[in-house]
Amino acid sequence: MNSTRSNETDARGVPVSTRTQSSLDAFEKALWQFQSYFGDPTATLACALHDDPDFILGHIFNASAMLMLSERQYLPAVQESLATASALAPKANDRERALLAATRDLAQGRWHEAVAGWDRLLVDHPRDALALQCAHLIDFYLGDAVNLRDRTARVLGHWDVAVPGYSYMLGLHAFGLEECNEFERAEAAARTALAIERRDAWSVHALTHVMEMQNRYDEGREFLEATAPDWSPDNGFAFHNWWHLGLFYLEREDFAGALALFDERVFNPDSDISMELLDATALLWRLHLQDVDVAGRWMAVANRWAMKTGVENGYYAFNDFHAVVALSGAGRLDAARAVLAALGDAAKTNPPATRAMAAEVGVPACSAIIAFAEQRYDEVIEILSPLRARAHRFGGSNAQRDILTQTLLVAALRSGRTGLATNLLYERAVHKPASPLTRRWRTQCAQQATYRAAA
């Protein structure tokens, strides 16, 4: 028989309507899994909901966790969880009903309304770790760097080391600081978090971003390789930290190392999770820009995307962009154009948030990739030159969106636009002056300029 507790709060003092201890214990474990990426929170809650089907927070959590994957394929299961939670809402407390409303907004494509709902909830319950984690991830998908930083800043004063999950809140804040180019403060927050919980993959991620943006590629490589036994085994976010290691290899011109990492750590041929596929795609494209022969890897990644596009096309432009990159890399341009066409429809018919992403960034970015694959480099330049300034609007991080700048730079080189290439390299040198990859491009640009002058 389930035991009960006398008070009705979670471990952070946030109100819950259930008094069933086993359900609350399952919630705490699932929350830790959601924050740490170790284990499956939905599987944990499935057992609790079997024993306590009226546990509304469990149903809301399930819907929220699936929505954070940014894929249409999970919407039927999300709607099922939300329908159950809605039926239980009369028995819920105000906090749970507010969580339900925000999650319902997100499921219906009202992303801005969802984050506004979580933000209102955090005013009254600043230790609501579920609301904060969800809002942070949607800030990331929206490309809202200011709120990545400030949403956590508004509540961190209510947290301290004695509060369960404090290190994870610091990790969220560290990443927000990094995306706002506050690198020293980001590093301090991430290192404090890791001193509390060294296995925290998101704080590892935040610190790695700092090293990436500061051109500390050797230090970053050593850090990730040394700490991998902490954050990598059985961790659902490890693929992304391995991808970051691949970026450090690329800056070193260690293309063989990056390919080996792709094969061993980044690409899972059995996974259909978009977040994993887009990292595999992004690493291959960067190697492609360096004329590295990636053999049959393009086809393997493109096949995984092709299995998803019928369902996912037009749902989230950042994912669609990477599908187009993979399909173009594999030479499957008709399939890439089909994704672009669906994204064009989404730019007219989607709810406002994702409609804007598609129209303002997704459609032109995908068009540029297809043009690049067809060697229409002047068109690539025409599209990407103004696009970079607003590319954050379709989500991702500064490091991820660098794929657009690298593509523009190579298009400039291949079209003989050495003046533009030189300016882009001056821009890159502000952040990565000592990078061998920067020097490699400089050499190519100088050789091209010399050849054109002699001609």
Side-chain angles (χ1 to χ4, degrees):
M1 179 178 294
N2 289 331
S3 61
T4 60
R5 55 192 283 162
S6 58
N7 60 330
E8 296 181 358
T9 65
D10 68 12
R12 286 149 301 283
V14 180
V16 293
S17 61
T18 185
R19 297 184 68 193
T20 304
Q21 184 65 52
S22 59
S23 295
L24 289 169
D25 290 345
F27 170 76
E28 293 295 338
K29 180 180 179 181
L31 181 62
W32 172 79
Q33 291 172 320
F34 191 44
Q35 294 170 317
S36 69
Y37 296 91
F38 288 104
D40 182 353
T42 59
T44 296
L45 285 169
C47 295
L49 291 169
H50 179 270
D51 295 336
D52 182 9
D54 290 344
F55 181 36
I56 185 172
L57 188 57
H59 295 290
I60 296 169
F61 194 130
N62 269 342
S64 300
M66 288 186 282
L67 285 167
M68 293 306 118
L69 294 170
S70 70
E71 297 197 40
R72 185 182 278 124
Q73 66 170 310
Y74 300 109
L75 287 183
V78 167
Q79 297 296 352
E80 183 178 348
S81 291
L82 289 177
T84 304
S86 297
L88 295 169
K91 301 177 182 179
N93 60 37
D94 289 343
R95 175 256 179 158
E96 291 162 342
R97 283 191 287 268
L99 274 176
L100 174 59
T103 309
R104 189 184 295 118
D105 276 336
L106 186 64
Q108 295 176 354
R110 297 192 295 266
W111 291 25
H112 294 292
E113 290 83 352
V115 291
W118 285 315
D119 211 30
R120 288 191 298 271
L121 182 56
L122 288 165
V123 172
D124 293 327
H125 305 292
R127 291 182 179 177
D128 191 328
L130 178 58
L132 186 57
Q133 184 91 3
C134 290
H136 186 81
L137 290 173
I138 299 304
D139 286 336
F140 173 68
Y141 294 147
L142 286 167
D144 186 353
V146 171
N147 270 313
L148 277 174
R149 177 193 63 193
D150 291 351
R151 201 180 307 283
T152 50
R154 289 193 285 272
V155 300
L156 271 178
H158 297 276
W159 291 69
D160 57 45
V161 72
V163 179
Y166 177 58
S167 70
Y168 300 114
M169 296 304 101
L170 283 175
L172 300 182
H173 190 52
F175 181 61
L177 288 166
E178 180 278 325
E179 287 298 290
C180 288
N181 300 322
E182 298 186 42
F183 301 129
E184 291 183 7
R185 294 178 64 202
E187 180 163 355
R191 290 194 182 278
T192 300
L194 290 170
I196 299 168
E197 176 49 81
R198 69 185 188 186
R199 299 175 72 206
D200 181 353
W202 191 263
S203 293
V204 168
H205 162 251
L207 182 53
T208 300
H209 266 272
V210 171
M211 294 176 178
E212 159 70 18
M213 298 304 293
Q214 292 187 322
N215 195 36
R216 295 155 61 184
Y217 48 86
D218 283 336
E219 183 183 355
R221 175 182 55 80
E222 292 167 3
F223 167 69
L224 285 176
E225 291 175 343
T227 60
D230 295 329
W231 53 260
S232 177
D234 301 316
N235 187 275
F237 195 64
F239 71 90
H240 188 66
N241 284 333
W242 288 122
W243 175 78
H244 276 281
L245 181 59
L247 297 190
F248 292 135
Y249 284 0
L250 287 174
E251 291 297 335
R252 262 288 177 200
E253 294 183 279
D254 183 359
F255 303 141
L259 275 175
L261 198 65
F262 173 91
D263 293 334
E264 297 166 11
R265 301 290 189 178
V266 176
F267 178 52
N268 178 357
D270 297 321
S271 174
D272 72 341
I273 297 174
S274 291
M275 287 188 289
E276 295 187 26
L277 289 175
L278 67 85
D279 276 354
T281 300
L283 187 57
L284 277 191
W285 186 259
R286 285 166 169 80
L287 287 161
H288 176 64
L289 294 176
Q290 300 303 322
D291 295 318
V292 175
D293 181 5
V294 300
R297 294 175 181 86
W298 269 134
M299 194 59 69
V301 177
N303 285 343
R304 299 308 300 182
W305 280 114
M307 293 172 64
K308 297 170 64 65
T309 52
V311 173
E312 299 299 334
N313 283 357
Y315 184 67
Y316 178 44
F318 194 73
N319 293 348
D320 290 334
F321 168 76
H322 286 86
V324 167
V325 170
L327 292 165
S328 298
R332 299 173 64 173
L333 293 178
D334 286 344
R337 291 190 190 95
V339 178
L340 175 58
L343 194 57
D345 291 339
K348 301 172 185 174
T349 61
N350 270 19
T354 54
R355 184 171 71 229
M357 292 177 189
E360 296 173 9
V361 185
V363 168
C366 290
S367 299
I369 293 298
I370 293 171
F372 188 98
E374 295 180 333
Q375 301 182 22
R376 292 181 281 115
Y377 299 123
D378 286 337
E379 186 175 337
V380 175
I381 293 167
E382 182 180 351
I383 296 171
L384 291 186
S385 292
L387 182 65
R388 292 189 306 145
R390 64 177 189 273
H392 65 279
R393 297 178 190 169
F394 84 149
S397 66
N398 293 324
Q400 287 175 308
R401 293 188 300 270
D402 189 48
I403 192 173
L404 298 175
T405 298
Q406 291 194 25
T407 301
L408 174 60
L409 173 57
V410 173
L413 288 169
R414 292 186 183 179
S415 65
R417 306 272 288 273
T418 54
L420 174 61
T422 299
N423 284 357
L424 290 168
L425 285 166
Y426 281 140
E427 175 186 293
R428 192 174 207 269
V430 170
H431 305 289
K432 301 183 178 184
S435 161
L437 190 59
T438 301
R439 291 198 298 270
R440 176 186 179 91
W441 272 319
R442 279 176 168 168
T443 299
Q444 292 175 3
C445 191
Q447 289 173 344
Q448 186 178 89
T450 300
Y451 173 81
R452 290 175 64 83

